[in-house]
Amino acid sequence: MAVTGWKVDADDRHRLLARFAPRWPDVIADHVTLDAKANSRTPLPSSVSAEIVGEADDDAGLQAMVVAIDGSTDRSDGGTYHITWSLDRSRGRKPVQSNDVIKARGWRPLERPVPVALIPARFG
């Protein structure tokens, strides 16, 4: 099984990490998932316009940035586009829990959206 989505451009990642300080010790901040159940034959997504529009943090070891892809934060699977920003693995936290946190606690919008450069990719 593979995952398709978009990798955060490396230069952009460094800029964004300086702007949005990770709250937890294990920093991820490297991709946005489109399809977590893809396979090696699943086509890569197209290039998109993306902005970080909000933040979710459960104060228990997981921080995620909510992303608008071509103007929408809603994934077709019912989830929310996001970048798992940081987490605390020593507390048992895993990146896959980001959508659960966003769904359960919601997210706080940023004052102004922040553009993020994304590159279509397969990973996982």
Side-chain angles (χ1 to χ4, degrees):
M1 189 170 302
V3 176
T4 60
W6 303 270
K7 291 296 255 182
V8 176
D9 173 81
D11 290 337
D12 235 16
R13 181 177 185 270
H14 292 296
R15 175 184 64 85
L16 293 167
L17 284 168
R19 181 168 185 164
F20 301 109
R23 285 203 57 211
W24 305 104
D26 301 301
V27 178
I28 309 293
D30 69 351
H31 73 276
V32 176
T33 298
L34 173 64
D35 183 355
K37 298 178 181 176
N39 62 48
S40 61
R41 294 184 307 268
T42 302
L44 291 179
S46 58
S47 295
V48 293
S49 171
E51 297 176 310
I52 295 175
V53 295
E55 179 182 13
D57 192 322
D58 65 359
D59 295 319
L62 196 138
Q63 175 191 26
M65 296 298 173
V66 175
V67 177
I69 301 287
D70 290 336
S72 177
T73 59
D74 299 330
R75 285 194 329 210
S76 62
D77 66 0
T80 301
Y81 290 120
H82 66 275
I83 302 169
T84 299
W85 207 247
S86 67
L87 50 84
D88 190 342
R89 292 185 194 276
S90 72
R91 294 182 182 201
R93 303 316 299 267
K94 298 176 183 173
V96 71
Q97 296 170 325
S98 291
N99 252 316
D100 296 334
V101 168
I102 293 167
K103 185 175 182 178
R105 297 182 56 120
W107 52 278
R108 184 177 66 257
L110 299 180
E111 220 174 275
R112 289 190 180 151
V114 177
V116 57
L118 299 178
I119 302 160
R122 186 178 336 283
F123 43 92

